Amino acid sequence: MAEPLGRRDLFRLPLQRAAAVLEPVVPRPRPEPGSEPGALASHADARRPTITVIAYGPHELTEAPVDDLELLRTMRGRWPVLWVNVDGVAHGETLRAVGEVFGLHPLALEDLGDVQQRAKVEEYPDHLFVVARMARLAPDLDLEQIGIFLGRDYVLTFQERPGDPLDTLRQRIRASRGRLRTGGPDYLAYAVLDAIVDHYFPVAEAYADRLDALEDEVLGRPSRGTMPRLHAVKRDLMALRRAAWPLRDALAALVREPGPLVSPGTVVYFRDTQDHAFQILDLLETYRELAGSLTDLYLGNQGRRANEIMKVLTVFAALFIPLGFITGVYGMNVPVPPGWWWTLSAALGAMAATALLLLLWFARKRWLGDDG
Amino acid sequence: MAEPLGRRDLFRLPLQRAAAVLEPVVPRPRPEPGSEPGALASHADARRPTITVIAYGPHELTEAPVDDLELLRTMRGRWPVLWVNVDGVAHGETLRAVGEVFGLHPLALEDLGDVQQRAKVEEYPDHLFVVARMARLAPDLDLEQIGIFLGRDYVLTFQERPGDPLDTLRQRIRASRGRLRTGGPDYLAYAVLDAIVDHYFPVAEAYADRLDALEDEVLGRPSRGTMPRLHAVKRDLMALRRAAWPLRDALAALVREPGPLVSPGTVVYFRDTQDHAFQILDLLETYRELAGSLTDLYLGNQGRRANEIMKVLTVFAALFIPLGFITGVYGMNVPVPPGWWWTLSAALGAMAATALLLLLWFARKRWLGDDG
Amino acid sequence: MAEPLGRRDLFRLPLQRAAAVLEPVVPRPRPEPGSEPGALASHADARRPTITVIAYGPHELTEAPVDDLELLRTMRGRWPVLWVNVDGVAHGETLRAVGEVFGLHPLALEDLGDVQQRAKVEEYPDHLFVVARMARLAPDLDLEQIGIFLGRDYVLTFQERPGDPLDTLRQRIRASRGRLRTGGPDYLAYAVLDAIVDHYFPVAEAYADRLDALEDEVLGRPSRGTMPRLHAVKRDLMALRRAAWPLRDALAALVREPGPLVSPGTVVYFRDTQDHAFQILDLLETYRELAGSLTDLYLGNQGRRANEIMKVLTVFAALFIPLGFITGVYGMNVPVPPGWWWTLSAALGAMAATALLLLLWFARKRWLGDDG
Amino acid sequence: MAEPLGRRDLFRLPLQRAAAVLEPVVPRPRPEPGSEPGALASHADARRPTITVIAYGPHELTEAPVDDLELLRTMRGRWPVLWVNVDGVAHGETLRAVGEVFGLHPLALEDLGDVQQRAKVEEYPDHLFVVARMARLAPDLDLEQIGIFLGRDYVLTFQERPGDPLDTLRQRIRASRGRLRTGGPDYLAYAVLDAIVDHYFPVAEAYADRLDALEDEVLGRPSRGTMPRLHAVKRDLMALRRAAWPLRDALAALVREPGPLVSPGTVVYFRDTQDHAFQILDLLETYRELAGSLTDLYLGNQGRRANEIMKVLTVFAALFIPLGFITGVYGMNVPVPPGWWWTLSAALGAMAATALLLLLWFARKRWLGDDG
Amino acid sequence: MAEPLGRRDLFRLPLQRAAAVLEPVVPRPRPEPGSEPGALASHADARRPTITVIAYGPHELTEAPVDDLELLRTMRGRWPVLWVNVDGVAHGETLRAVGEVFGLHPLALEDLGDVQQRAKVEEYPDHLFVVARMARLAPDLDLEQIGIFLGRDYVLTFQERPGDPLDTLRQRIRASRGRLRTGGPDYLAYAVLDAIVDHYFPVAEAYADRLDALEDEVLGRPSRGTMPRLHAVKRDLMALRRAAWPLRDALAALVREPGPLVSPGTVVYFRDTQDHAFQILDLLETYRELAGSLTDLYLGNQGRRANEIMKVLTVFAALFIPLGFITGVYGMNVPVPPGWWWTLSAALGAMAATALLLLLWFARKRWLGDDG
């Protein structure tokens, strides 16, 4: 599991790195509009994905890499639960072959290959198809798409990229802990979804830390990078919300109408996962508002600083420009007056008086202090 | 019960204290994603929670600290109402033991240990499980999570932290006042929830006072701390709303489908509590809008002040710079002209005329007054 | 009925008075959280409320002040409609006594005493309980809470404060006009609610006038008080909306499920009142948006004025500072040059050329006009 | 039909005229709160409205002004469709008389007299009552209220003001074009509503033109009037939306539950009108957002201009003030130094160097160009 | 299919071109309000549209241009699927003739002619009528309206303008690929809608690229064109959302109640298209928020720059104006003092001290660096 970055790490990143976070918002190439649905274009440079299988029941467990898909065909029906994990979805041929083994619907297979899906739950006659998005900071925000098929005796998971965010789960199965081994495939599907949803929490926490740091920055010494950093956080929060929102709706739909593949006892667990998704969205919503309030704070502070600067300028200019004018008048090109001592004194006195009056006026306006 | 702070107290706090309020928005550590649901990790430094029990019926009442959980097992079923209060939820072992005594669902027990729950009502076959959040100012905003189990003959309350916000209620039971002693556990559960909801009112009032003070500040003499204080209020209002919103929904769900554990006569009371939750949210929403309007007011005032400052600068500069130029021209390094008296008079006259014209122009533009 | 203030009166008020309008947003003291529901704390300085009764049927009518509540007990059941009006809700003892005469539910009685209720309609077995808020300008915004009980043969109205906003209605009963005398208590309850809703219209009109005046101000000569006044209007509109919104919902619920106490013929009338509540909310919503647009307009105008001021400053400074520099150069402390007449002319020429070029540049930038 | 104004005409109007558009937002005087429902107060200066009737069937048609209401009573029941149009709703007596002829409900009649109704559809036992608002630019925005009664054999239309926006329709009936003559009164009612809804399109187009012109203005040369004009457009869009929103809802309700007076074949037509109302609201919503984006654009441009102006000021001031200082030093009142030629050259060199360095610095900051 | 423009191309366009994108927001001329529904006004300069037909079954296929509509009448009923495509909807006569051949409802035909329809699905007894909007960048945003009729054995498509965005689809039919040839007309209708929805993706991507470029611009060197470009993107996103929003709703309605013309097996496909529409709206919504955040960022940066500029101005002015004053005082027109060397030194020392103190003060305020 990706270790969430601490706040200090995140901000050590140069800003260019941070800018790369926009990427997940931009959809990747997809099939040409008007082309066949279910057309699984193999990306030219797609390598064959790694497939692994864990088959288990309450008392036995076997685990193997799958090089030949025939193996899956052999194992089907012989184990209470068959969990096949496919790493990488760019190789259309493999997807089609796996789909054939388990009788998956072509539309669902097409959705696997399109890594810009919204989270959703779709019921097909023989299986339930779930698409969700796993959040990670690696160190930028990464929203990997995961497709899950739940059948009568199998769970298939298709990850967008290699790497194993579901490893903790696999270890729990091996260690034969708790209900996981005795529960059916529906319980395994729940466990996968629960792991996905719970991955959002450390990510959300990391953003809370960033906002915390930004708040200190705005209240303390805002710099040239403050607003861009705030903007980057907002953008990531948007991406997270866009990933989590449909996930929550999909889970709610699943809880409301679980269908025949999910046993009533497992629905309670799905409801719990749905609660977590609600919590995530609450957090993200709050962070979004917080970021908005920080923007206001920044703009308000900037206005206050502008006024401060202008007050200094105005006090200096308004004080010395009139005095300079008096010296200018006295410096005009005329013969030195005979009683110059007296007129000089008068001029200096006028300057002192002018300065004093202006200072008093500014003091009354409270432009001399540092506040406001 | 925590005495809500008066407005004067709240603002005597240094700003750093106020900044600590963000904390409750940030989720605390939770179990690693992918781990077992119902896994009640005991925090390393978790002390054993204090457990107390009050058992009562219309005519009798007994009250005791619980050192050995066997006591609870003995008392169950012998009293019309058994109220067990647990102070602290970090000690997983104790939670599990209590859960066993009352047959609580493992998922509900897990939720107890996670202090970042949304408020909710969940029906399990044998009990109703309610999570809510109690608001206090101590002196910063504190949103303590409280878990409530309502069974056929018991009410269990689990508080996040020691300290007793439900003490008034306990005293009412002891004093045998009103329906509390004759009502069943459902009425006690209502009384607990009602106390929780009503705790929001003094907190909301305190924020109304703060907004009131901030409004005076913005209209009067805004200082360097005005916007940060306004931001702090906004942030707390977000946290409060995030706590109160799901509570309202949970209560509405409870009133709509009370289930077999809540008698029809008690539903009316729950409806009343739900009304209070609605009121709270109305208040918080209004305060939020008020804070928004104050931000606008602050920014508008700042713009006005900027214009005022710039007008002073412009009037001084535009008045004296041309005059200074004339003295400069007359001060140029040429022989003193023969009829210097006349040219000097002409120069002075030109200056007076320039000054007068400029002043008239500024007056027509109304830049000389203090307004606008 | 309180005469709504004309626009001129409203703005003659000093700003401090206007600030007092925030008050109704702030909740008044309420019972301590955790205390008994239905506990009707008599305020220490609560005077005994004035109670009056009007009993009528199609052909007869009697009217009397009620000093002894026994009178009500005697009158019940003898008249087709009994309308009891109670002025003041702070005296708990009286409320309890009236509640006993008519068999009112303790929770409803408690709500009477809490003057920060949301508008609502609640059905109890024997009576319908309605809470609403009457809007007045007196001259500040005043939102008085009115509680209404509709029973089989009575209507009880509880006003928060003495004074009689329902006097027009009483006169209509006395004058035996229209359906009011022949209709049952449900029609009287409708008439009371209709009067309450219709009181919002003159208040909304007054705010439309204020916004109108503020628009003139913003477009014309905004002053130091413009933004505060706009803020005050926004704040009052929030309070009004907070009062009217739940009233509309309550009326909608009443129209949807009128219950056995409201005859089908009267429901049509309630629907009409509900339409009026919708209109009120439409108006308030529009005014709120209008106030928002005025804020934008104000900020935009301020920015424009700032640019105007800065253009004047820049033109003056950029024009005369270079010229002043040239005079400065010519004023340097060197012997008067022999052919000073020619160099002086050159210097003056250079100044004229500089000035001309700058003026042309500013003209091309269109900084010399008054616009933009 | 009022010719919608071209864009050029609209902006030739003085701003004061434009300000008058706020009027329709402000409610007109209404009956005193608490007065009798259905009380049709005749306005003191209300003239008797003009009433005209068209009676037609597939093959015959008669048309007449109605001076005596007995005529209507005679005609009722003798023609398949009777369309009575009343111009002006201020004369309560006439409304009451017409209401008596057709047995209209007093509440509906009262609504006719109140020209600040929301659009709505109300079913009464014998007739359907529709209130809608017709939009026109004449040349300011005018939202005339039209009340429509649909009975078994009649359609009554009540216009707020004389003038005939339904004239095209009348001509279509006379010309015996299409389904209008063979359809029943429900089809006529549809035709009236459709004409009302379609009148919004040219009005919306006119505002699109205005926004277009304002966009050019903001992007090109914003003037003192730009923001006020933008505000005026926003205000009118609010008024339009407030008129069209409930109309859409009313039509949706009518399509959902047409009642016995609307034949199934005509419902398809009402659905089409409902679609148009949806389109109108889509347009208005888009224009509202566009106006908001234009406000942002204006504020952003203003900030950019401010920075531009300040850069000019700063470059001039920062360049010449130091130079002026050097001349000042050299102009101090000391004996002309012996080797003044060398020191003068040094001073001039220092000035040149200073100027050059500053210019380089400003060039590096890119403050010398026109951009940014 | 229109090749979506690369980011570089889009921004090479002059701004005037970009401004033309507003057009689709403005409705085109429509029939006069009050005129006959179903009245298909032929535009004066409307050329006869091109009509083509493809008729196919699993094994055979024929394709022809249609010059005489009799051809269609002959072909009806002889082929499993008849797809007629009409290019151009301005020629009312042709629409009416086609409508007659297939028995289309006059209201649907009228909608074809009005190119400002909202997307919708309408069920008529014999056919389903769908209106949708196809998005293209050509190079400005172009939202072409497409009307689709689905009958028992035919699909009719009416394009607003010539040009063939559905060509890929036609090629798929010819190439006899996949289910397209064996599926009925409902599957063809799905394929058309799917092509329309999928056309939104490359368009949305192009706007993501633009936003990306604008983000770089705002973070780097915002220019005079940044805000107008941002505004143009916002405006196009509004137009896209306005087109896609009702399309999504229409598809949802179709999936919920497919009616008899859509076979259950095809509904799954429509559900997939609906998912894509949801994705599109998610993307557009995210881009809209991103554009809003960019506006904030721009305004915040502008404020920061303003403060930077003002700091430079203030430092220069506040430093040299006092020094200039001292030289002015020393330059006053008095006899050269006897010990002028000492007083000159004193004056120069005072200047140095003043400058130093001011610099220290500015350093303490951190106005000398480049930040903040």
Side-chain angles (χ1 to χ4, degrees), chain B residues 1 168-169 172 177-180 187 190-191 194-195 198-199 201-202 204-205 208-209 211-212 215 219 268-269 271-272 275-276 278-279 282-283 286-287 289-290 293-294 296-297 299-301 303-305 307-308 310-311 313-314 317-319 321-322 325 328-329 331-335 358 361-362 365-367 370-372, chain C residues 15 19 22-23 25-30 32-37 105-107 110-111 114 116-118 120 122-124 221-224 227-228 231 234-235 238-239 241-242 246 288 295 298-299 302 305-306 308-310 312-313 316-317 320-321 323-324 326-327 330-337 340 344 347-348 351 370:
Chain B
M1 196 197 63
T168 314
L169 191 58
R172 268 174 55 207
R177 281 200 277 160
R179 239 192 100 149
L180 199 43
Y187 191 85
Y190 146 71
D194 195 54
D198 282 357
H199 263 93
F201 283 104
E205 266 171 63
D209 284 350
L211 281 173
D212 219 2
E215 189 174 53
L219 288 176
V268 184
Y269 289 90
R271 193 176 65 182
D272 194 63
D275 277 353
H276 291 186
F278 265 95
Q279 264 174 275
D282 270 13
L283 283 174
T286 306
Y287 296 162
E289 279 189 45
L290 205 54
S293 175
L294 280 178
D296 283 354
L297 186 56
L299 293 177
N301 271 354
R304 197 181 46 71
R305 289 167 97 93
N307 286 7
E308 227 170 78
M310 277 196 304
K311 276 195 278 189
L313 173 61
T314 302
L319 202 60
I321 292 182
F325 166 68
V329 169
M332 285 165 86
N333 193 15
V334 297
L358 284 169
W361 187 52
F362 289 136
K365 274 178 169 306
R366 303 203 192 223
W367 288 9
D370 221 21
D371 225 50
Chain C
L15 204 64
L22 183 60
E23 292 313 290
V25 175
V26 183
R28 304 291 154 66
R30 28 172 75 240
E32 196 189 357
S35 67
E36 179 82 356
H105 196 280
L107 275 176
E110 191 203 0
D111 285 348
D114 167 11
Q116 291 298 328
Q117 290 291 312
R118 287 179 102 233
K120 61 178 173 182
E122 280 183 340
E123 218 186 319
Y124 288 98
R221 297 200 52 74
S223 79
R224 184 185 288 268
M227 275 298 280
H231 170 72
K234 279 185 191 172
R235 213 179 37 194
M238 283 173 211
R241 201 169 40 134
R242 192 157 77 84
R288 207 175 62 92
T295 306
Y298 179 86
L299 293 177
Q302 227 164 27
R305 289 168 96 93
E308 228 171 76
I309 296 168
M310 276 197 304
V312 169
L313 174 60
F316 271 90
F320 285 104
I321 292 182
L323 300 189
I326 298 179
T327 70
Y330 208 92
M332 285 165 86
N333 193 14
V334 297
V336 176
W340 63 264
L344 177 63
L348 291 174
M351 285 190 236
D370 220 23

Side-chain angles (χ1 to χ4, degrees), chain E residues 285-364:
Chain E
E285 193 55 30
T286 306
Y287 296 162
R288 206 176 62 91
E289 278 189 46
L290 205 55
S293 176
L294 280 178
T295 307
D296 283 355
L297 186 56
Y298 179 85
L299 293 177
N301 271 356
Q302 226 165 28
R304 198 182 44 70
R305 288 166 98 92
N307 286 6
E308 228 171 77
I309 297 169
M310 277 198 302
K311 275 195 278 191
V312 169
L313 173 61
T314 301
V315 166
F316 271 90
L319 203 60
F320 285 103
I321 292 182
L323 301 189
F325 166 69
I326 298 180
T327 71
V329 168
Y330 209 90
M332 285 165 87
N333 193 15
V334 298
V336 176
W340 61 265
W341 183 250
W342 299 109
T343 51
L344 179 61
S345 305
L348 292 174
M351 284 189 235
T354 306
L356 203 73
L357 282 173
L358 284 169
L359 282 173
L360 282 174
W361 187 53
F362 288 137
R364 199 174 58 83

Side-chain angles (χ1 to χ4, degrees), chain D residues 49-64:
Chain D
T50 316
I51 306 180
T52 53
V53 63
I54 302 189
Y56 65 87
H59 305 302
E60 62 281 300
L61 178 147
T62 184
E63 198 171 344

Side-chain angles (χ1 to χ4, degrees), chain A residues 40 69-70 72-73 76 92-106 109 112 126-127 149 154 156 158:
Chain A
L40 282 164
L69 290 172
E70 275 313 298
L72 294 178
R73 219 184 285 273
R76 263 206 79 179
E93 216 173 302
T94 307
L95 298 191
R96 222 172 301 124
V98 174
E100 214 176 301
V101 174
F102 292 95
L104 307 179
H105 196 279
L109 280 177
L112 279 185
D126 286 333
H127 49 261
F149 286 89
Y154 62 86
L156 314 180
F158 292 83

Side-chain angles (χ1 to χ4, degrees), chain C residues 1 168-169 172 177-179 187 190 195 198-199 201 205 208 212 215 219 268-269 271-272 275 278-279 282-283 286-287 289-290 293-294 296-297 299-300 303-304 307-308 310-311 313-314 317-318 321-322 325 328-329 331-335 358 361-362 365-367 370-372, chain D residues 22-23 25-28 30 32-37 105 107 110-111 114 116-118 120 122-124 221-224 227-228 231 234-235 238 241-242 288 295 298-299 302 305-306 308-310 312-313 316 320 323-324 327 330-332 334-337 340 344 347 351 370:
Chain C
M1 195 196 66
T168 314
L169 191 59
R172 269 174 54 209
R177 282 200 277 160
R179 236 191 103 148
Y187 192 85
Y190 146 71
D198 282 357
H199 263 92
F201 283 103
E205 267 171 62
D212 219 3
E215 190 174 51
L219 289 175
V268 183
Y269 289 90
R271 194 177 63 181
D272 193 64
D275 277 352
F278 265 95
Q279 263 174 276
D282 269 14
L283 283 175
T286 306
Y287 296 162
E289 278 190 45
L290 205 55
S293 175
L294 280 178
D296 283 355
L297 186 57
L299 293 177
R304 197 183 45 72
N307 286 7
E308 228 171 76
M310 276 197 304
K311 275 195 278 188
L313 174 60
T314 302
I321 292 182
F325 165 68
V329 169
M332 285 165 86
N333 193 14
V334 297
L358 284 169
W361 189 52
F362 288 136
K365 273 178 170 304
R366 303 204 192 223
W367 286 10
D370 220 23
D371 225 50
Chain D
L22 182 61
E23 292 313 289
V25 174
V26 183
R28 304 291 153 65
R30 27 173 75 243
E32 196 189 358
S35 67
E36 180 81 356
H105 195 281
L107 275 176
E110 190 202 1
D111 285 348
D114 168 11
Q116 290 299 327
Q117 289 292 311
R118 288 178 100 232
K120 62 177 172 183
E122 279 183 341
E123 217 185 321
Y124 288 98
R221 298 200 53 74
S223 79
R224 186 185 287 267
M227 275 298 280
H231 170 72
K234 278 185 192 172
R235 212 180 37 194
M238 282 175 213
R241 200 169 40 133
R242 193 156 78 83
R288 206 177 62 92
T295 306
Y298 179 86
L299 292 176
Q302 225 164 30
R305 289 168 97 93
E308 228 172 77
I309 297 168
M310 277 198 303
V312 169
L313 173 60
F316 271 90
F320 286 103
L323 300 189
T327 70
Y330 209 91
M332 285 165 88
V334 297
V336 176
W340 61 265
L344 178 62
M351 283 189 234
D370 220 23

